[in-house]
Amino acid sequence: MRPPAPAALGLLLLGLLLLPLPGEAAKKPASCKHCRELVDKFNQGMADTAKKNFGGGNTAWEEKSLSKYEFSEVRLLEIVESLCESSDFECNSLVEEHEEQLEAWWLRLKKEYPDLFEWFCVKTLKVCCSPGTYGPDCRECPGGSERPCSGNGHCSGDGTRQGDGSCQCHLGYQGALCTDCMDGYFSSRGNEMRAVCTACDESCKMCTGPTNRDCAECEAGWVQEDGACVDVDECAAEPSPCSAQQYCENANGTFQCEECDPVCVGCTGKGPGQCRECIPGYTKDSGQCADVDECSLPEGVCPRRGENCYNTPGSYVCVCPEGFAETEDACVQMQPTGDAATEESPAQPPSHEDL
């Protein structure tokens, strides 16, 4: 194999020099979320150490000689050591990479920039924006940073370097600035004399106030009557909106079709007491469809002589007694087989499985 040409060797070395160092390729800019979480933990650490001191027993001498604990590097170290769990890679990387900036803020800049989030995440790392601003340049949200989206919605990207600033309005509001009311809501004045969108009565599609008399237009399933939107009783319509084996239940603005009881042939409501007619094997008894006990009828229903009758829901079964065989017109006792003759025993009802 021929050795590589000098020019090719030079390009290869240049490419190797431009490759990222081990671990560098995995590095990525801190996200606003992780920066915000770190600041929240730092602020919590400040609260947790607010009433501590050097702990040496002579606090007055220590603070005179070593400066006040409140502004000391000892307190800073305690706070930093409590910021991240050992398994939290993102947090530990962020602290390691920006420990010098945190130390500078603590020792020299805290009085000038008391808001750590604003100084660290917004102005220094430039991964977040101030509340009410969004996007790479931290532009004001629609409606201004004080009341984004008129206070009636969420500004896309609010507080981050992302999003397009568009307003996602809260329920009941619409429009570019979330100042208009949706259909089904009306505008009223809130405590601060700002417009508030309040839900109309359920009977109104559009309205000017809270009652069914304030409807500008009725919702489907409601109709204007004597100056108010009232429910349409669809179940009173002829023919019924439900099938023959269903009954109709009216509800505000709508209706439902429910299945009749299994013993009914048509019905007007729930249960066997609401049947129009009964299915075969059932008859009306005190207004309810009840099972007919065919076995108690005087004429008898079993065709063979000696057969036992057993009633079942809606029907009956005829069975020869145990030890008897069926013939065309009677139950005939079977002859015992073998040497052992079985004693005659009273007829036993069939098991549940045989019915």
Side-chain angles (χ1 to χ4, degrees), residues 183-239:
D183 284 354
Y185 290 78
F186 68 96
S187 180
S188 61
R189 292 290 170 189
N191 294 334
E192 300 175 17
M193 295 306 294
R194 297 191 182 108
V196 176
C197 292
T198 305
C200 298
D201 184 83
E202 63 176 332
S203 64
C204 305
K205 186 174 184 180
M206 294 184 292
C207 69
T208 57
T211 74
N212 66 337
R213 293 191 170 275
D214 300 313
C215 302
E217 183 180 345
C218 296
E219 270 286 7
W222 304 78
V223 66
Q224 192 81 240
E225 192 176 289
D226 296 329
C229 286
V230 296
D231 174 52
V232 175
D233 185 359
E234 294 88 352
C235 298
E238 288 293 344

Side-chain angles (χ1 to χ4, degrees), residues 31-40 117 121 128-129 159:
S31 71
C32 181
K33 174 177 177 289
H34 292 122
C35 190
R36 190 185 297 275
E37 288 173 352
L38 182 68
V39 168
D40 288 343
F117 171 78
C121 300
C128 297
C129 290

Side-chain angles (χ1 to χ4, degrees), residues 129-309:
C129 290
S130 302
T133 62
Y134 73 96
D137 302 319
C138 293
R139 303 173 70 177
E140 275 199 345
C141 289
S145 60
E146 293 296 317
R147 292 186 74 243
C149 305
S150 310
N152 302 322
H154 173 72
C155 169
S156 172
D158 189 348
T160 73
R161 298 273 170 163
Q162 300 176 345
D164 59 8
S166 60
C167 287
Q168 286 123 37
C169 301
H170 298 154
L171 183 65
Y173 297 87
Q174 63 182 357
L177 295 176
C178 301
T179 52
D180 302 322
C181 294
M182 298 170 57
D183 284 354
Y185 290 78
F186 68 96
S187 180
S188 61
R189 292 290 170 189
N191 294 334
E192 300 175 17
M193 295 306 294
R194 297 191 182 108
V196 176
C197 292
T198 305
C200 298
D201 184 83
E202 63 176 332
S203 64
C204 305
K205 186 174 184 180
M206 294 184 292
C207 69
T208 57
T211 74
N212 66 337
R213 293 191 170 275
D214 300 313
C215 302
E217 183 180 345
C218 296
E219 270 286 7
W222 304 78
V223 66
Q224 192 81 240
E225 192 176 289
D226 296 329
C229 286
V230 296
D231 174 52
V232 175
D233 185 359
E234 294 88 352
C235 298
E238 288 293 344
S240 170
C242 301
S243 72
Q245 276 303 102
Q246 293 178 320
Y247 64 93
C248 182
E249 277 204 344
N250 191 52
N252 283 346
T254 186
F255 67 96
Q256 288 182 317
C257 292
E258 303 288 352
E259 296 298 320
C260 293
D261 193 273
V263 303
C264 297
V265 178
C267 65
T268 57
K270 183 179 182 180
Q274 303 296 321
C275 300
R276 296 184 189 277
E277 301 292 339
C278 304
I279 61 172
Y282 286 80
T283 188
K284 283 282 182 78
D285 183 7
S286 302
Q288 297 214 41
C289 283
D291 174 50
V292 174
D293 185 359
E294 293 87 352
C295 298
S296 65
L297 296 176
E299 64 270 23
V301 291
C302 294
R304 298 180 185 86
R305 192 172 61 254
E307 255 185 333
N308 291 331
C309 180

